[in-house]
Amino acid sequence: MPRPPPLPPRPPLLPGTVFAAAEAELRNHIDEAIAEKRSVSVLLEPGAHIKLSRLLECDSNIKVIIFSSDERATLDGQGKSGLFRLRGGCSLTLRRLALVNGRAYNGGVVWAEGAGDVEIVDSTITDCEATQFGGGVYVASAEVNSAVSIVDTTITGVYARVDGGVVFANFGRDIFMTRSTVLSCSAGGIGGVVAAYNSGAVSLTRSNVTDCSAGWRGGAIFTKGSDLLATDSSFSGCRADLGGAVYVQSGTARLARSNIFNCIANVSGGGLFSEDGQTILSDGTLISGCTAPDGEGRSLFLLAGEVAYALPASPGRWLPNARCEVYRGACAHPPGSPQQAACLKHRDDCATSHEPPYEWYCQNATFVQPCNWKSDPHLLGQSLYQLPLLPVEQDFPFACSAGILGSADPEYQSSSTCAGPCPPRRRCPTEATSQTLPCTAGHYCPAGTSVPLPCPAGSYSNRIDLAAASECTDATPGHFANTGSTQQTPCAKGSYTNAPKQGECTLCAGGTYQDESGETACKPCEAGSYCAVGAAAPLPCEAGSYSSATNNDEPSDCTPCPAGSSCTAGSTAPSACPAGSAAPSDRSPACEQCEAGSYQNGTGSTTCVACALGQLCPVGASLELPAACEPGTYSNMTDGDGLPDCFRCPVGSSCPGGAAPPTPCAAGTFAMAERPACEKCHGGTYQNETGATSCRDCLPGHYCAEGAAAPLPCDGGSYSTATDNDEPSDCSEASPGYFAVTGSTQQTPCAKGTFTAAGGHSECIPCPSGTYQSEAGSTDCHDCEKGQYCTTGAAAPLPCRAGTFSNATGLAAPDSCTACPAGHACTTGSVEP
């Protein structure tokens, strides 16, 4: 069996550094350093997993450094033991380590009493716990002035059953957390991350706390008699009964460029709870999305103490504010005296300095002051909002309303008007908008727009920089535009517009038609046809009728064909029955050939005459023949012997035989060679001329039955591109969301504001009032949204006008919106006042 490759050599150790790969080695190094009263630096083998059987203890005034390389070593308490206990001034630095499964009465990782500094750098702390205080670190001592520093470290799942989920500090300890991340840590009582009692400073810098909780107060931070400073840090998803993120019992707290998001208080103070002391929020700090029971301060709850905000606020937000300055009495020196002149000259200096350089210039401070500059002189000269002792329910600072432009400049953060209405051609769609967005195509945005207004029906635009409805482009004749259209749409076949600015097209009147899209007028119906309202093609008069008029609008306008004549479909005049045929009644689509044994030598006849005995009268005979020409031939002269000469029937005609002259094939029939009778055009073809030798392919959008003299258009609600249809069912049914007018070669998507739920429609249905459809080719309409109303056929919701609002859906008219109650503001499209 081959031997494994040798381990790489250990790196050379710096002077004063020792190496350890196991618990015994580590413990021995620390014990020897204690015995010799010297500091020690221990390099743990990279990647080593050292399981501790009991606490590592240090009770001497030395410094212990334990570190590893980028491939971290692990110190594991195995859920049975804490990791370190420090006393007697011992300082501890842990660097590039994984600290896991520490369990102790206090301090799951470090239990320090009367110890020196504790540093945890570039490490991870996971699943550690304290039965009482400090799930990660417990520090307590009134005698040693030292600090706890946690730098570039990730802390996950650390828990204290009582207080201080990660750190518990008491009696003079400073706590510094820098560039660190804390996830899902908790305490059963107070301070899900830090609980500091009568301690020094608690400083968080560029650190993030997420989903931490406390059973009572301060889901992330609790301070009593300690000073909190949070800079460029965030608290999100934290929870407690009081103070979802921060609870200040006493002392000072300052949050600069920090955020509290989506934190929860079960009782009061969703973001921050102030029991006493002084709290200053500044430089864009924001509390938003937090919750608490109604009236208990979703963002802040102020029981006592003072809370102030120093501008600038975060962009898009505002606060009422005033300059923090010293209110002083009036200059009391004699008028015109040098002292009076100096007092007036230095008035501004005296207002912004609690210790002016020339004290005699300044009068005494008055009893009433605008801010607590005596406690924090740094506030002088700042724009400051002093919060009253009332719960704050809104996000804090307050958001500029939708339609109002916010700013990062404190000059525009002092009132709800912020930087003024959103500029024309732009929109400010949400609260706290500090960067405008372009208007929407098909809409325009006047000043103060939150919801773009649609271009009115009859106009359109694909631009995103319109400020008024007048800037929308008018639809041209032959086109229409729904409300909010980005382009005009050509009128469909069977409709037209003869004026600009139309929101819909007009159907062709009865007796007219239009077979092209985008037209400004309709055409007179053709002779031999009728045109119903909205006709996209003339429909031929039914076989057995005719008409020469050009204004028919229904089949009954066509005249019945008289007896003795025939009228194929689409006839403009009756055709007299030729010799050898007859039509005994009216409405005949074709003349009937005289049966064998009868003849008719006249035209326009209603009956045939019986053939005399001894005479030949074949089918379709036009006279009695003593010796008949065969069918497919004809005779038009007689030789000297008295017998007819027979000639081949010309193409495009029929010759029934006997002496009947050739008869040109009627429309709908043809003859390619000598024939006794013309053949009907096959299904899928037609012939609209007489004397034809062939038939033509049917037209797209039509069908041609057997013997068709003209194509019949596909019924409304169907379409076809084929040229061989022979019955209406060969046309394809229009799909849901589409329509097809009579004679269509393709289906057309329903325009915005209309729909069809089923197939087979010849026109689309306008959206009912209270609904809209912004997409073409739709099968249904959407309920109108809150803050908006939709008229019949709406392609886009119209926002409730300024001064009204609605939190209901399905409104059908502007007067359905509710008037804004007194004392409230309702911008365009408001859902709530």
Side-chain angles (χ1 to χ4, degrees):
M1 181 176 180
R3 294 181 179 180
L7 296 174
R10 295 172 179 170
L13 300 178
L14 296 174
T17 301
V18 294
F19 184 84
E23 177 186 7
E25 291 179 293
L26 176 59
R27 196 176 297 278
N28 287 338
H29 289 317
I30 296 174
D31 290 345
E32 289 174 1
I34 293 171
E36 298 171 8
K37 296 185 179 180
R38 60 174 173 80
S39 297
V40 63
S41 179
V42 183
L43 171 62
L44 298 184
E45 182 173 356
H49 192 130
I50 299 175
K51 297 180 179 180
L52 301 180
S53 58
R54 54 190 172 86
L55 282 165
L56 295 166
E57 298 194 47
C58 176
D59 57 2
S60 178
N61 188 15
I62 65 172
K63 183 168 184 176
V64 177
I65 300 174
I66 302 174
F67 69 102
S68 187
S69 66
D70 291 338
E71 187 180 351
R72 302 167 189 241
T74 299
L75 291 179
D76 187 349
Q78 303 185 79
K80 302 175 182 178
S81 170
L83 304 185
F84 295 91
R85 184 165 187 179
L86 310 177
R87 290 171 291 183
C90 184
S91 295
L92 175 66
T93 296
L94 304 174
R95 182 176 288 111
R96 291 196 294 275
L97 300 176
L99 309 170
V100 301
N101 299 323
R103 298 288 186 275
Y105 184 76
N106 290 321
V109 175
V110 178
W111 182 353
E113 290 182 294
D117 293 333
V118 176
E119 296 178 298
I120 302 175
V121 182
D122 192 14
S123 296
T124 61
I125 303 174
T126 308
D127 294 335
C128 294
E129 180 180 331
T131 305
Q132 290 293 306
F133 305 106
V137 179
Y138 171 92
V139 289
S141 174
E143 300 175 358
V144 179
N145 185 16
S146 56
V148 175
S149 297
I150 300 175
V151 181
D152 294 325
T153 292
T154 298
I155 305 167
T156 306
V158 177
Y159 169 65
R161 295 187 184 182
V162 182
D163 297 343
V166 176
V167 179
F168 178 92
N170 199 1
F171 301 118
R173 290 288 184 134
D174 290 334
I175 302 170
F176 299 98
M177 185 174 290
T178 305
R179 297 186 303 275
S180 293
T181 299
V182 185
L183 303 170
S184 304
C185 295
S186 60
I190 290 172
V193 177
V194 174
Y197 289 86
N198 303 312
S199 185
V202 177
S203 175
L204 278 76
T205 304
R206 287 188 285 172
S207 293
N208 300 305
V209 177
T210 303
D211 295 337
C212 294
S213 64
W216 185 18
R217 296 186 289 185
I221 307 293
F222 172 89
T223 61
K224 177 182 179 181
S226 302
D227 295 333
L228 168 65
L229 175 60
T231 306
D232 297 314
S233 296
S234 69
F235 306 87
S236 63
C238 297
R239 185 170 195 145
D241 282 350
L242 302 172
V246 177
Y247 189 105
V248 179
Q249 186 171 20
S250 59
T252 64
R254 181 180 287 273
L255 280 72
R257 298 186 302 278
S258 295
N259 297 307
I260 299 175
F261 294 137
N262 303 325
C263 294
I264 300 171
N266 299 324
V267 179
S268 300
L272 183 147
F273 190 108
S274 172
E275 181 177 339
D276 204 350
Q278 183 185 42
T279 299
I280 302 295
L281 310 177
S282 67
D283 299 308
T285 292
L286 174 63
I287 303 175
S288 66
C290 298
T291 60
D294 289 345
E296 295 295 331
R298 294 179 183 177
S299 289
L300 300 109
F301 187 92
L302 284 67
L303 183 64
E306 61 180 78
V307 178
Y309 196 107
L311 296 182
S314 55
R317 298 188 174 268
W318 69 277
L319 288 171
N321 62 84
R323 191 175 78 151
C324 181
E325 59 184 33
V326 182
Y327 283 3
R328 297 184 181 277
C331 293
H333 302 288
S337 67
Q339 293 87 349
Q340 176 77 352
C343 180
L344 295 174
K345 179 180 178 181
H346 292 281
R347 180 177 296 170
D348 286 344
D349 296 334
C350 295
T352 57
S353 177
H354 69 295
E355 294 178 353
Y358 305 103
E359 194 167 299
W360 63 271
Y361 289 150
C362 303
Q363 303 302 302
N364 292 330
T366 60
F367 179 76
V368 176
Q369 293 294 314
C371 56
N372 191 359
W373 53 265
K374 293 180 180 180
S375 297
D376 189 352
H378 294 94
L379 296 177
L380 287 171
Q382 296 191 45
S383 297
L384 196 71
Y385 173 54
Q386 194 79 34
L387 277 75
L389 292 178
L390 295 171
V392 178
E393 302 297 333
Q394 308 102 307
D395 289 352
F396 187 83
F398 309 128
C400 299
S401 299
I404 300 295
L405 179 61
S407 173
D409 188 341
E411 181 181 351
Y412 300 109
Q413 294 184 332
S414 60
S415 75
S416 61
T417 59
C418 302
C422 199
R425 311 182 194 281
R426 309 289 292 182
R427 59 189 171 97
C428 300
T430 62
E431 292 183 338
T433 296
S434 59
Q435 296 291 330
T436 63
L437 298 176
C439 200
T440 306
H443 296 70
Y444 63 95
C445 295
T449 291
S450 59
V451 179
L453 299 173
C455 286
S459 64
Y460 67 96
S461 178
N462 60 4
R463 292 170 52 189
I464 56 174
D465 60 350
L466 305 188
S470 60
E471 297 179 12
C472 299
T473 304
D474 293 340
T476 57
H479 298 76
F480 73 99
N482 296 125
T483 302
S485 291
T486 59
Q487 60 184 11
Q488 63 181 356
T489 303
C491 291
K493 296 177 182 180
S495 64
Y496 73 100
T497 60
N498 58 7
K501 301 176 65 173
Q502 298 302 303
E504 60 181 358
C505 296
T506 303
L507 295 176
C508 288
T512 66
Y513 76 99
Q514 181 50 261
D515 56 356
E516 301 288 341
S517 59
E519 294 300 319
T520 60
C522 296
K523 304 173 182 178
C525 201
E526 296 179 358
S529 304
Y530 67 94
C531 299
V533 174
L539 294 175
C541 289
E542 297 174 355
S545 65
Y546 72 97
S547 177
S548 61
T550 57
N551 60 351
N552 297 337
D553 61 1
E554 55 185 26
S556 60
D557 291 337
C558 297
T559 303
C561 198
S565 300
S566 66
C567 299
T568 57
S571 293
T572 59
S575 298
C577 290
S581 65
S585 62
D586 61 4
R587 296 188 178 277
S588 294
C591 296
E592 301 175 6
Q593 287 185 319
C594 292
E595 296 180 355
S598 65
Y599 74 99
Q600 178 53 258
N601 60 1
T603 59
S605 300
T606 59
T607 60
C608 294
V609 180
C611 195
L613 293 176
Q615 299 296 312
L616 175 63
C617 295
V619 173
S622 60
L623 47 82
E624 296 175 297
L625 298 176
C629 289
E630 295 179 358
T633 63
Y634 74 99
S635 175
N636 61 1
M637 64 180 64
T638 303
D639 284 339
D641 58 8
L643 297 176
D645 288 335
C646 296
F647 299 89
R648 291 184 177 182
C649 195
V651 294
S653 299
S654 62
C655 297
T663 302
C665 291
T669 65
F670 74 100
M672 297 178 62
E674 59 271 13
R675 291 286 188 273
C678 296
E679 296 181 45
K680 291 183 178 180
C681 287
H682 304 307
T685 64
Y686 77 100
Q687 181 53 259
N688 59 344
E689 297 180 357
T690 59
T693 61
S694 63
C695 294
R696 302 174 178 176
D697 289 339
C698 203
L699 299 178
H702 295 70
Y703 65 93
C704 298
E706 184 182 33
L712 295 174
C714 289
D715 296 336
S718 64
Y719 68 98
S720 178
T721 59
T723 57
D724 59 355
N725 297 335
D726 61 3
E727 56 184 22
S729 62
D730 290 336
C731 299
S732 301
E733 183 181 83
S735 305
Y738 291 76
F739 73 97
V741 297
T742 303
S744 291
T745 59
Q746 61 183 10
Q747 58 183 354
T748 302
C750 289
K752 297 176 183 178
T754 65
F755 74 102
T756 59
H761 278 265
S762 61
E763 61 182 353
C764 296
I765 304 168
C767 287
S769 58
T771 66
Y772 76 99
Q773 178 51 257
S774 60
E775 300 292 338
S778 296
T779 59
D780 59 7
C781 298
H782 306 304
D783 287 340
C784 207
E785 299 167 1
K786 294 181 180 180
Q788 302 174 332
Y789 65 91
C790 301
T791 57
T792 300
L798 292 171
C800 288
R801 297 168 180 160
T804 66
F805 74 98
S806 173
N807 58 9
T809 60
L811 299 191
D815 55 10
S816 301
C817 300
T818 305
C820 198
H824 294 72
C826 298
T827 58
T828 303
S830 290
V831 176
E832 297 289 348

